[in-house]
Amino acid sequence: MTYNELWHQLTPLYEPEEARAVVRELLDELFAMTLTDIVSGKVNELSAENQRLLEEKMRRLCQGEPVQYVTGVEYFAGRPFHVNPSVLIPRPETAQLCDIIRQDYDRPFCGLQPPEPIRILDIGTGSGCIAITLALDIPNSSVDAWDISSDALLTARDNAHALGAKVNFMLHDILDEESLPEPELRQKSEIIVSNPPYICDKERKDMAHNVLDYEPETALFVPDDDPLRFYRAIGHYARRALKPEGRLYFEVNALYADDIAEMLRSLSFSRTEVRKDEFGKNRFVLADF
């Protein structure tokens, strides 16, 4: 089977350029095949065993399964993260949020007398992409990460182990306020960060089927009548769990960025700021405590 035959199988689902990109990603992850290899016809030279593997993976792609789940890998902030249907596929916007935090806390320190660790809490960690990236990129940090899904936490722990990151993963439901730990002063966080569910049910009709059919609903959707559900709960908890002058970082639905900022101001957060993502959408809300 040729490269052209492969990507043409996907044109009922994708535009031609995206279909070609999906097949290139598949060939790269499965067989470390470069674009030069593809152009020179290496696809036709695969062994019978690898041909069978490729056909099985192509069947999954033709059914609409995202290529990241088919290969089991998505790259985030330059690192490979294992992904499966128990976790969202990490997005570039979320990597931009990590970069914002890293720039804010890129502080040199004396190795002989390091300061207290920068304590970070990631709420709704999923694959662990935020927590692990910050643990690796912010020196002298101590990172906790929560999720409501035990399957997601197992995936996140596997990613932390594979990437050599020290993160303390815990099973917590941010909506169950009475069950949440009450941090002592020395255990409070300097940073609380979250990319919680923020897509309203009414937005389903505009979403791609490969997202709706395969990515976990609990990590995507909120009710139409309560789009700020998770932000409000995190904001209330952050008042208890942030250190003085600590900071809250959210990835948000652009439709509700201003509402989230106003809600945080009502909770006595200061210097609330809305920032745009690389596509020009209001994607992040930052607030000082």
Side-chain angles (χ1 to χ4, degrees):
M1 189 175 295
T2 67
Y3 168 63
N4 282 339
E5 289 171 333
L6 290 171
W7 71 259
H8 273 99
Q9 291 184 39
L10 300 180
T11 52
L13 299 174
Y14 301 103
E15 294 296 323
E17 187 55 42
E18 187 173 4
R20 287 191 284 267
V22 167
V23 172
R24 287 198 300 269
E25 183 173 344
L26 181 68
L27 294 171
D28 181 20
E29 290 298 330
L30 291 182
F31 311 118
M33 198 173 289
T34 67
L35 182 57
T36 301
D37 293 332
I38 294 169
V39 170
S40 63
K42 295 291 186 182
V43 177
N44 302 330
E45 300 174 12
L46 291 172
S47 67
E49 181 180 355
N50 284 339
Q51 283 282 2
R52 286 192 293 270
L53 174 63
L54 179 58
E55 289 171 6
E56 188 271 327
K57 300 294 186 183
M58 285 298 302
R59 278 195 295 271
R60 292 170 61 182
L61 289 177
C62 289
Q63 291 169 356
E65 187 171 353
V67 64
Q68 294 91 341
Y69 290 156
V70 173
T71 63
V73 176
E74 172 64 328
Y75 285 82
F76 181 87
R79 299 182 180 97
F81 281 79
H82 174 60
V83 294
N84 55 54
S86 71
V87 299
L88 286 182
I89 298 167
R91 266 62 172 189
E93 299 92 323
T94 310
Q96 187 178 346
L97 177 60
C98 291
D99 195 49
I100 290 170
I101 299 171
R102 183 189 59 77
Q103 291 178 30
D104 284 350
Y105 289 88
D106 186 13
R107 303 171 181 171
F109 63 87
C110 174
L112 297 177
Q113 292 182 316
E116 287 294 312
I118 297 171
R119 297 190 65 90
I120 301 170
L121 172 60
D122 172 27
I123 298 176
T125 195
S127 66
C129 61
I130 292 176
I132 292 167
T133 298
L134 297 180
L136 293 173
D137 288 352
I138 298 181
N140 197 39
S141 58
S142 174
V143 183
D144 292 337
W146 297 356
D147 206 281
I148 192 175
S149 165
S150 56
D151 288 337
L153 288 172
L154 288 173
T155 301
R157 287 187 178 116
D158 286 345
N159 281 324
H161 178 74
L163 293 168
K166 293 183 179 179
V167 178
N168 183 27
F169 293 102
M170 290 173 281
L171 186 69
H172 284 302
D173 180 358
I174 189 63
L175 299 181
D176 186 2
E177 185 175 1
E178 292 184 359
S179 72
L180 300 178
E182 188 68 39
E184 299 176 6
L185 180 60
R186 65 183 183 83
Q187 295 176 319
K188 289 189 175 185
S189 300
E190 195 163 349
I191 299 166
I192 293 180
V193 56
S194 185
N195 175 24
Y198 61 61
I199 302 172
C200 289
D201 284 322
K202 63 186 178 184
E203 298 178 76
R204 289 175 184 261
K205 65 183 188 308
D206 300 319
M207 296 176 64
H209 286 289
N210 61 349
V211 175
L212 290 173
D213 294 344
Y214 289 95
E215 298 199 57
E217 286 202 2
T218 55
L220 288 169
F221 294 106
V222 288
D224 292 341
D225 61 357
D226 193 12
L228 307 193
R229 168 179 288 184
F230 288 94
Y231 299 104
R232 187 181 306 109
I234 295 168
H236 278 286
Y237 182 73
R239 295 177 66 187
R240 296 155 47 192
L242 275 175
K243 292 179 180 178
E245 301 182 359
R247 200 158 214 219
L248 187 58
Y249 294 84
F250 282 142
E251 181 175 330
V252 305
N253 186 329
L255 296 173
Y256 301 104
D258 291 334
D259 294 331
I260 292 166
E262 180 58 34
M263 180 269 295
L264 291 174
R265 285 191 286 270
S266 75
L267 293 177
S268 301
F269 284 85
S270 63
R271 222 189 85 193
T272 303
E273 179 184 358
V274 176
R275 290 196 193 177
K276 296 184 183 298
D277 63 18
E278 59 184 318
F279 307 107
K281 293 186 177 182
N282 289 337
R283 185 61 64 197
F284 313 111
V285 174
L286 288 58
D288 293 337
F289 184 53

